[in-house]
Amino acid sequence: MADVDKTEKPTPRRRRKAREEGSVARSMELNSAVLLLTGTIALFLFGAGIAAGLGDLCRSLFKAAGEFSISTSALPLYLWKGVSLLMALLLPFFALIMAAGILANLAQVGFLWTGKPLMPRLSRLSPMKGLQRFFSPRSLVELAKSVLKLCVVGLVVYLAIRAEVHRILELSALSPSALLREIGSLAGLVSLKAAIVILIIALLDYAYTRYEHEKSLKMSKQEVKEEARQSEGDPQIRAKIRGLQMRAALRRMMRKVPQADVVITNPIHLAVALKYDGKKQRAPVVLAKGARLLAERIKEIAREHDIPIVENPPLAQALYYTVEIGQEIPIELYRAVAEILAFVYRLKRKYFGLA
């Protein structure tokens, strides 16, 4: 289907499925820019300490050079000490860069764990597909971004160096240690300006990546309808399920009719079965109700179990249309129902000879 037909916003299910497959809006340019900027800042923060620590390490090594006992047993110990000192010096630097890289990824896509992008695909081995990707609009955009970034960063570096040309001309008059510090300061300043520009370009790239991702997720009207059909199920199957559920509910309702104290009728069209247990209920409860054929079936069951059937059209209509199955009757119907139940109880006492 042509992309021009995909005018609908992606559904939550489409977004969730794309995310599970690893299709998310993520800019590698932004990750690289964050790492570069963080590395530059880390050099400003820890560079002096790292340089001083390395200088102390070198001086101590030179001083103790004549005292070393080189042997197969001593060499691993010397190496371990050297590696431990280097790790202690460089750990804050690399920890800060690693934390920045993790946060940059989490900020873009959140926590996502999926191996589907790593699964082999035969389409990736096709030369024709490879050529299509190579000359695709996305590849041209990537090429244009790379050229633009190179030009912009080169211009920024040039302007930064030109602004500091007076300091560069004065380097020859400095001592070796001061020369190294000045070169480090200049390099850090130029790197910081370049990193900031690269970060701005990366943010624009991330915005474009999100736009492209949203565009790729768009759906046609037919796809939205198809997804809704798949989510809700086939209409015929849903109708069959509803029919089965209704029949099951009717069977459960009919099994409760023999427990009723009285059935109130319209007398032909409606029938409502009521049950009242003064010890457990505050008011009578509707056990079953029905119209036409269902009403006849309720009355038939009531006759089979010697349950009184009382004709009261207004009350039957009120109960049928206002009270759901399993609910207590409303307070405005208490008096009318109480009169009928009192009449039924008198009949039962008379029938069993208790009057």
Side-chain angles (χ1 to χ4, degrees), residues 24-88:
V24 291
R26 185 164 69 100
S27 171
M28 296 303 297
E29 297 285 345
L30 184 57
N31 290 344
S32 302
V34 169
L35 292 177
L36 178 60
L37 181 60
T38 305
T40 304
I41 295 174
L43 282 176
F44 276 106
L45 295 176
F46 307 116
I50 293 174
L54 290 175
D56 294 339
L57 178 60
C58 291
R59 281 191 292 271
S60 62
L61 288 174
F62 289 139
K63 286 181 180 179
E67 302 174 2
F68 284 154
S69 176
I70 305 300
S71 64
T72 55
S73 59
L75 186 59
L77 180 61
Y78 294 146
L79 290 176
W80 173 247
K81 286 183 177 180
V83 171
S84 300
L85 289 172
L86 284 175
M87 289 178 61

Side-chain angles (χ1 to χ4, degrees), residues 295-310:
E296 291 298 324
R297 179 57 183 158
I298 292 174
K299 289 188 287 185
E300 183 181 338
I301 296 175
R303 294 188 192 100
E304 292 174 357
H305 293 82
D306 296 323
I307 298 171
I309 299 175
V310 178

Side-chain angles (χ1 to χ4, degrees), residues 122-184:
L122 295 178
S123 60
R124 294 177 178 175
L125 302 178
S126 172
M128 294 302 298
K129 293 286 185 180
L131 287 174
Q132 289 178 4
R133 287 194 298 269
F134 186 76
F135 293 104
S136 64
R138 178 66 182 177
S139 298
L140 296 177
V141 170
E142 292 295 328
L143 177 62
K145 286 195 306 184
S146 299
V147 173
L148 177 62
K149 183 169 67 173
L150 182 62
C151 294
V152 172
V153 172
L155 178 61
V156 170
V157 170
Y158 167 74
L159 294 176
I161 294 176
R162 192 179 70 172
E164 303 294 334
V165 67
H166 64 282
R167 293 176 60 185
I168 297 175
L169 295 176
E170 296 173 357
L171 293 178
S172 59
L174 300 177
S175 62
S177 58
L179 176 64
L180 291 176
R181 286 195 298 270
E182 193 69 15
I183 291 176

